[in-house]
Amino acid sequence: MKMQGSPVARSTSLCLALAFASATGLRTPDKASGSAATAEAPAEHRATLDVGFSSFEGNLTGEVTKLLKEAPVTAAWSARARDHLSGSMAEKIRADLKAAIAPVKASIGQTWMALPQDNQKDEYVGQLRAALTPVFATSLKGVSTHLNLAIQRLPKTAPEADAELEHCSVQLSDSLMADHCYNQTLSKKVSFIELSEPHAAKPLDSFCIQSVMTGLVRRLNDTQGLVSMSMRFESGAMSLAQQHAQKKA
């Protein structure tokens, strides 16, 4: 009995138990509980920022490519000419769109980073995506309308030289991306006192018609500004300057 209760006996018994557990594939309680805890631990949630810009870019370039390849004007063109024009247009639109919406995306990113909780970030993304979806849809229709009109001015005889095709691409791109400005002169109104003076024409500053891209950026900025300010206010993430401006308003 004394030998069984001695430290040597207890050590021997423990070694035998561990050896048996190892041979039979059993685990000690500590390891098993640790493994179960690891298996039951929920995956960590990470908020992501995706409000539809990538999808809109894909839809936009896809619509432009489709219109160029299916237009009656380009039906007589060679496959090479159509592919060259549609590929060049897609590249220009991607580059111009990226540059135009960069400030909007930066503002959205700043608001997203300012929200302290992941659930607030998710709510912000959901609200912003819902608000921007109709803006994207309206702009896509505007692109189709303007591009169809511009395509009708393409030459019916297919230009084969790369320089000529590039010129067509620039014209089509400008119809979507560039503001169209005009100089105007207006006759000066003559008052009763100035009746004796010669009637003069007064040149006015040029006025511009916004392009589809300019209109898109303006609507995107207005929409995200409203949603962002609301979320910042609700989460208490507004800066002191923003809070002061809102109180004055």
Side-chain angles (χ1 to χ4, degrees):
M1 297 294 294
K2 291 183 179 180
M3 287 295 294
Q4 291 178 356
S6 66
V8 175
R10 288 196 298 270
S11 176
T12 302
S13 300
L14 179 59
C15 290
L16 290 173
L18 291 174
F20 177 80
S22 176
T24 57
L26 299 178
R27 294 182 178 179
T28 59
D30 290 341
K31 291 182 179 180
S33 61
S35 177
T38 302
E40 295 174 0
E44 185 178 359
H45 173 70
R46 292 287 184 180
T48 57
L49 181 55
D50 179 12
V51 296
F53 285 112
S54 297
S55 298
F56 174 70
E57 178 185 316
N59 293 335
L60 180 61
T61 53
E63 180 69 11
V64 169
T65 300
K66 177 184 176 183
L67 290 175
L68 287 174
K69 289 188 175 182
E70 296 181 355
V73 176
T74 61
W77 289 24
S78 66
R80 173 191 172 277
R82 286 195 299 269
D83 291 342
H84 187 287
L85 181 60
S86 60
S88 178
M89 274 292 295
E91 290 181 5
K92 289 181 184 299
I93 286 177
R94 276 192 289 265
D96 290 343
L97 181 64
K98 181 179 179 180
I101 66 176
V104 180
K105 295 175 72 173
S107 179
I108 292 173
Q110 290 172 359
T111 298
W112 189 79
M113 291 295 295
L115 299 175
Q117 303 296 329
D118 280 352
N119 64 330
Q120 293 173 334
K121 288 180 168 65
D122 289 338
E123 183 181 356
Y124 173 59
V125 170
Q127 290 186 12
L128 199 55
R129 177 182 282 273
L132 293 180
T133 296
V135 177
F136 289 141
T138 302
S139 298
L140 196 59
K141 291 181 180 179
V143 167
S144 298
T145 301
H146 281 74
L147 188 58
N148 271 321
L149 294 174
I151 288 174
Q152 294 177 15
R153 295 192 291 269
L154 289 174
K156 294 182 179 180
T157 302
E160 292 298 333
D162 289 348
E164 295 176 342
L165 288 169
E166 187 63 23
H167 178 69
C168 292
S169 176
V170 171
Q171 286 184 321
L172 292 176
S173 178
D174 286 347
S175 70
L176 300 176
M177 306 298 176
D179 294 342
H180 298 280
C181 298
Y182 305 89
N183 292 323
Q184 179 74 357
T185 58
L186 184 67
S187 296
K188 178 183 176 182
K189 291 184 178 180
V190 182
S191 66
F192 178 78
I193 300 176
E194 298 173 328
L195 283 176
S196 58
E197 298 181 2
H199 194 64
K202 180 182 179 181
L204 298 180
D205 293 336
S206 62
F207 68 94
C208 297
I209 299 176
Q210 286 187 345
S211 67
V212 176
M213 180 59 63
T214 302
L216 167 64
V217 173
R218 177 178 53 80
R219 289 192 296 273
L220 289 175
N221 200 47
D222 291 345
T223 303
Q224 73 84 18
L226 291 174
V227 177
S228 298
M229 182 170 292
S230 175
M231 283 298 302
R232 280 177 176 265
F233 179 78
E234 292 176 3
S235 66
M238 293 181 68
S239 65
L240 293 177
Q242 289 175 319
Q243 294 178 16
H244 179 67
Q246 191 176 48
K247 288 180 179 178
K248 290 180 66 176

